[in-house]
Amino acid sequence: AAPQGPPVYVDLAYLPGSWSARTVDEEFFRRIRSLCYVVSGDDHLKEGVLRPLLDALLSGKHQWGIDIQVTLIPTFDSLVMHEWYQETHDRQQELGITVLGSNSTVAMQDETFPACKVEF
């Protein structure tokens, strides 16, 4: 168990991918308070831990006790993400969590990929 301490506030936090995503739990979100969380890693390993990670965000954010708007930025399309979004939409709104989706694309050096712009 991690030693107790005050929460850490950041503007942007990247959530780990692959096997490391299993380390992101309710305690992580209670202690690492970010304005924006980026969920990256479009792989089969992430799909298996994505729902518990997203549920941990809701549980951890509930414990903050302060009203801070949080933006969740997925960098890939996922059936698990869509289901979680629909099933927990009311809870997301209660907690001040916005899921940022984008249909925008960026073209660079003969490559096109989805993107979104985040400003602070």
Side-chain angles (χ1 to χ4, degrees):
Q4 291 295 320
V8 176
Y9 292 88
V10 296
D11 290 331
L12 181 69
Y14 283 87
L15 301 177
S18 298
W19 293 106
S20 297
R22 294 178 181 190
T23 64
V24 179
D25 58 9
E26 181 179 328
E27 180 68 9
F28 174 90
F29 289 109
R30 189 188 67 73
R31 299 199 50 195
I32 308 298
R33 300 178 181 187
S34 182
L35 295 176
C36 296
Y37 292 101
V38 176
V39 182
S40 62
D42 186 11
D43 59 39
H44 69 282
L45 298 174
K46 181 64 133 231
E47 283 289 315
V49 296
L50 186 57
R51 180 62 190 244
L53 183 147
L54 297 170
D55 289 338
L57 170 62
L58 295 176
S59 298
K61 174 77 166 68
H62 175 74
Q63 296 180 38
W64 289 12
I66 52 176
D67 188 25
I68 296 176
Q69 183 67 35
V70 168
T71 302
L72 181 66
I73 307 168
T75 64
F76 59 98
D77 195 25
S78 162
L79 179 59
V80 173
M81 176 69 75
H82 286 278
E83 290 172 351
W84 176 83
Y85 179 81
Q86 291 175 344
E87 292 170 11
T88 65
H89 189 258
D90 291 340
R91 185 79 173 129
Q92 294 167 43
Q93 288 183 319
E94 289 171 17
L95 294 171
I97 298 172
T98 301
V99 178
L100 185 64
S102 175
N103 291 329
S104 299
T105 56
V106 173
M108 290 178 54
Q109 300 175 352
D110 300 328
E111 185 179 5
T112 303
F113 49 90
C116 65
K117 180 180 177 182
V118 178
E119 293 184 20
F120 296 95

